[in-house]
Amino acid sequence: MNLKEIKAMVANIDSAKDDDEMAHCAEDDLREDFIKHISKTGTKEQRKMAREILKTNDIDFSRWFA
């Protein structure tokens, strides 16, 4: 993941802003992708923090969408 890819994903979210659910899903995807990227490429402390955040994916609760 690089800045060019991130900018493209942000532009995609902006272009989908009239469809709240689509924009929200794209935003969630960007955040997930970035956290995964940091979990592999960040400093040792950043990798630990990112892996901890990713653990929320395994918590069983309803995630609401429109």
Side-chain angles (χ1 to χ4, degrees):
M1 175 173 269
N2 60 44
L3 184 56
K4 184 178 179 180
E5 292 169 326
I6 291 170
K7 285 183 176 188
M9 293 173 87
V10 170
N12 181 56
I13 294 165
D14 187 46
S15 70
K17 65 186 171 194
D18 292 331
D19 183 335
D20 292 335
E21 187 171 6
M22 182 179 282
H24 181 196
C25 288
E27 181 184 46
D28 284 352
D29 290 345
L30 171 58
R31 291 178 193 281
E32 177 85 8
D33 290 349
F34 184 71
I35 295 168
K36 285 180 180 177
H37 174 74
I38 294 300
S39 77
K40 296 174 185 169
T41 64
T43 65
K44 184 176 181 178
E45 184 68 12
Q46 289 170 332
R47 291 190 311 265
K48 286 181 182 179
M49 290 186 293
R51 285 192 296 268
E52 194 65 30
I53 291 168
L54 289 170
K55 289 179 181 180
T56 65
N57 291 337
D58 298 327
I59 299 172
D60 186 23
F61 67 93
S62 296
R63 287 160 172 85
W64 294 91
F65 293 93

